Amino acid sequence: MAGVKNEDVRKFAQEKDLDEDLAFKIVEQTLKAAYKTTFKTDVNAVVTIGDEAVNIYARKKIVDDVVNPVLEVDIDEAVKLAPDCEIGDELLFELDPKDFKRGPIQAGVQRVHQSTREIQKDSIYSEYKAKEGEIIIGYYQRKRNDNIYVDLGKVEGLLPKKFQLPQEVYHQNDRIKALIKEVKKHQQSNVVQLILSRTDPDFVRRLLELEVPEIYDNIVELYKIVREPGYRTKIAVISHRDDVDPVGACVGPKGGRIQTVITELEGEKIDVLEYSANPAVFIANALSPAEVLNVIILDEEKRTALAVVAESQLSIAIGKQGLNVRLANRLVDWSIDVKTEKQFREMDVHAESRKAAEELFSDDTVLLKDVEGVDADTVALLHEQNIDAVEQVIDLSNDELCAVPGMTEEKAYALQALIRETFEIIDESGQVTGQSQTETEEYAASDDDAEEELYECPECGAPITIDMTVCPNCGVGLSFEYEDEE
């Protein structure tokens, strides 16, 4: 049986690092190309892939008078091969590839080799295109115009000068770990080249993903990374579990995890800090390693803020040539101005802040959220009912307050007690109703006209007398019991 042995095709696939199916397809194309070069057509060429070999046949129509011997066969000759055949039938005539002339074979092989190279390049391009944004390891090969060429095995990597860390120096065969930033295929040469980077923030992201299992398991999220390559990186992290400290997870025991990343980055400083939805808290964290005393939001719409630090922390907060505060600005996406306490006191903003604080306590309306010690859940429940001011709560009876959806008696009592302790409440008759027990006793002792002994309501703590049947503050029913003294 003439043909190309399957064993030879498989060896070809291994040598060219091709898929076996693709290798058989290439052999098929080669045989057809040789057939076409020999006979000027391949419309009647038939290639079959058998269990042992790949064979090529010429399909010819049986005729009484042959006009085109490439496409037709005489009936007398056909009967010799197939006695039962008739005019109009088709027969397959097996050809031996060795019978093709050398020229057609070489032309076919050359054409297929070209197709093979294109297929290989397309395969390599697709393979590495899917890996964009991942880390790859190669070896220093050569340097030209400050650009480093990296041996990656199948392909060549290019590490441009702008994507190199400023303090790095490489020598022949040095190991290089980098991020695949882009995959290019040059149209003219059909060469696949990987553009590498060691300055991209995603390079740090991938390094941390390799070192921190919590990131891989999506327990800790890398919210945002900003870099000044070679000098400093700031990383904001979030934990999706209350029992996992995101900063501690990234730093690792004794700083082991983050130190591995720092070593790979040639000593670049890394600040890992916790993200917060509260911009003031996030800004204070972003200025790490400086300790921030206070953050004042100047203009929320324009996203401008002022950070106040101690005198000793000013240079740390700003950083060398303003690097630390510049990275903090990029991390939080706010414009941050850093001042010392002394500088802050001399600014107009300090006077405005102080005035605003004074107005908060002098204004007729005091908001619940501005009262220190009020439970946030309670404020939220009342806000849903459009109850935001202290005065609105005072006007509610105990039953009305407890009727608010989600409100418990404990929360209602705690809120009323806090308001009584914080504010002096005067009813329409001028009576003080919001004093504490100590204040009530002092008031009773100093009032020469007070003849009745004052007690405290067991429900809301308001002052009551023994002749009352209902608390004037909360409306609860009252009764007095006396115990006989022995």
Side-chain angles (χ1 to χ4, degrees):
M1 179 182 290
V4 181
K5 293 181 179 180
N6 290 354
E7 182 181 348
D8 294 335
V9 177
R10 293 188 178 95
K11 288 181 180 179
F12 169 70
Q14 291 178 352
E15 291 173 1
K16 298 296 183 180
D17 194 20
L18 296 173
D19 181 77
E20 279 192 11
D21 291 339
L22 180 60
F24 277 100
K25 188 70 175 177
I26 290 173
V27 171
E28 178 184 350
Q29 291 176 352
T30 303
L31 292 174
K32 281 190 175 183
Y35 185 98
K36 184 175 183 178
T37 305
T38 301
F39 300 108
K40 311 305 179 187
T41 182
D42 63 354
V43 293
N44 66 327
V46 177
V47 178
T48 63
I49 302 175
D51 294 335
E52 297 182 1
V54 181
N55 301 293
I56 185 166
Y57 301 86
R59 185 176 61 246
K60 296 183 179 183
K61 187 175 182 180
I62 300 173
V63 296
D64 189 27
D65 186 15
V66 175
V67 177
N68 187 341
V70 173
L71 302 176
E72 299 169 338
V73 61
D74 185 84
I75 181 65
D76 295 334
E77 184 179 348
V79 169
K80 295 177 183 178
L81 298 174
D84 297 333
C85 67
E86 299 176 355
I87 292 176
D89 292 342
E90 291 183 337
L91 290 179
L92 292 178
F93 293 84
E94 185 176 357
L95 304 176
D96 191 339
K98 296 178 182 179
D99 294 338
F100 290 133
K101 294 181 180 179
R102 185 176 181 84
I105 287 289
Q106 287 181 335
V109 170
Q110 184 176 0
R111 185 183 303 174
V112 170
H113 275 208
Q114 183 178 354
S115 300
T116 302
R117 286 194 295 269
E118 291 177 358
I119 292 171
Q120 286 177 317
K121 298 301 180 185
D122 289 341
S123 176
I124 292 173
Y125 177 79
S126 299
E127 176 185 348
Y128 285 99
K129 189 68 177 176
K131 294 180 179 180
E132 278 187 350
E134 296 182 8
I135 285 179
I136 195 168
I137 298 175
Y139 295 90
Y140 178 95
Q141 193 175 54
R142 67 185 186 279
K143 187 174 185 179
R144 189 172 66 188
N145 298 329
D146 290 330
N147 298 322
I148 295 175
Y149 291 83
V150 184
D151 180 9
L152 298 171
K154 293 181 183 179
V155 294
E156 184 178 64
L158 175 64
L159 183 60
K161 173 66 176 176
K162 63 180 179 179
F163 295 149
Q164 300 171 28
L165 297 180
Q167 68 271 38
E168 289 182 317
V169 178
Y170 292 106
H171 302 92
Q172 193 68 30
N173 294 324
D174 276 356
R175 172 182 167 278
I176 297 178
K177 182 184 287 187
L179 183 84
I180 303 175
K181 189 172 181 66
E182 185 181 359
V183 180
K184 289 185 175 181
K185 185 171 68 172
H186 300 283
Q187 296 300 324
Q188 294 181 347
S189 62
N190 208 28
V191 172
V192 177
Q193 187 178 61
L194 274 57
I195 307 301
L196 308 178
S197 174
R198 286 176 55 81
T199 60
D200 197 288
D202 278 341
F203 182 49
V204 180
R205 181 184 298 275
R206 296 302 184 191
L207 290 174
L208 278 169
E209 287 174 352
L210 293 173
E211 295 297 328
V212 184
E214 289 84 352
I215 297 176
Y216 180 82
D217 295 334
N218 201 33
I219 297 173
V220 173
E221 175 187 347
L222 299 176
Y223 175 76
K224 190 175 181 180
I225 301 175
V226 294
R227 287 185 76 187
E228 192 72 28
Y231 301 99
R232 193 172 216 103
T233 290
K234 285 187 179 290
I235 306 170
V237 294
I238 304 172
S239 176
H240 295 301
R241 273 179 37 183
D242 295 337
D243 60 336
V244 175
D245 173 22
V247 176
C250 292
V251 173
K254 299 182 180 179
R257 292 175 178 175
I258 201 67
Q259 188 57 50
T260 301
V261 179
I262 292 172
T263 301
E264 180 62 45
L265 299 179
E266 301 290 339
E268 184 175 315
K269 292 180 175 63
I270 299 179
D271 299 327
V272 183
L273 54 103
E274 188 168 5
Y275 167 78
S276 174
N278 184 331
V281 175
F282 192 22
I283 289 170
N285 293 345
L287 287 170
S288 171
E291 296 180 6
V292 179
L293 299 175
N294 191 19
V295 174
I296 299 167
I297 304 299
L298 300 178
D299 192 321
E300 190 166 354
E301 185 176 345
K302 295 181 179 179
R303 299 176 74 86
T304 57
L306 178 67
V308 182
V309 299
E311 184 75 33
S312 61
Q313 296 291 306
L314 181 62
S315 60
I316 301 175
I318 295 176
K320 188 176 181 180
Q321 298 179 346
L323 177 60
N324 195 61
V325 70
R326 189 164 64 248
L327 284 175
N329 284 340
R330 288 165 51 192
L331 187 68
V332 302
D333 196 24
W334 280 65
S335 179
I336 308 169
D337 189 13
V338 182
K339 299 293 182 184
T340 64
E341 293 177 281
K342 181 179 179 182
Q343 291 170 332
F344 173 60
R345 284 193 294 268
E346 294 172 352
M347 294 175 63
D348 291 338
V349 67
H350 178 263
E352 293 173 2
S353 299
R354 183 173 55 198
K355 181 180 178 182
E358 292 172 351
E359 289 177 351
L360 175 65
F361 293 102
S362 62
D363 194 358
D364 291 335
T365 301
V366 180
L367 298 179
L368 284 169
K369 66 182 182 63
D370 295 326
V371 179
E372 185 177 355
V374 176
D375 179 61
D377 291 339
T378 301
V379 173
L381 292 173
L382 293 172
H383 176 71
E384 292 178 1
Q385 306 301 316
N386 297 319
I387 302 172
D388 297 305
V390 172
E391 289 82 352
Q392 291 175 282
V393 177
I394 294 174
D395 291 339
L396 295 175
S397 68
N398 186 66
D399 290 341
E400 290 173 330
L401 187 58
C402 289
V404 171
M407 182 70 68
T408 63
E409 292 184 4
E410 291 79 5
K411 288 183 178 180
Y413 176 77
L415 177 61
Q416 290 171 329
L418 180 62
I419 290 176
R420 288 194 308 273
E421 294 173 1
T422 307
F423 300 95
E424 183 179 272
I425 303 171
I426 303 175
D427 61 18
E428 294 179 357
S429 63
Q431 181 181 358
V432 178
T433 61
Q435 296 164 311
S436 65
Q437 182 177 359
T438 303
E439 292 170 332
T440 302
E441 291 172 351
E442 292 175 354
Y443 174 81
S446 61
D447 189 349
D448 296 334
D449 298 329
E451 296 180 355
E452 297 180 334
E453 185 176 1
L454 293 177
Y455 298 89
E456 185 177 79
C457 173
E459 183 67 28
C460 69
I464 57 176
T465 59
I466 59 175
D467 61 336
M468 294 180 181
T469 58
V470 177
C471 174
N473 184 53
C474 66
V476 70
L478 301 173
S479 64
F480 292 84
E481 298 179 3
Y482 296 91
E483 295 181 0
D484 294 332
E485 294 182 2
E486 295 181 359

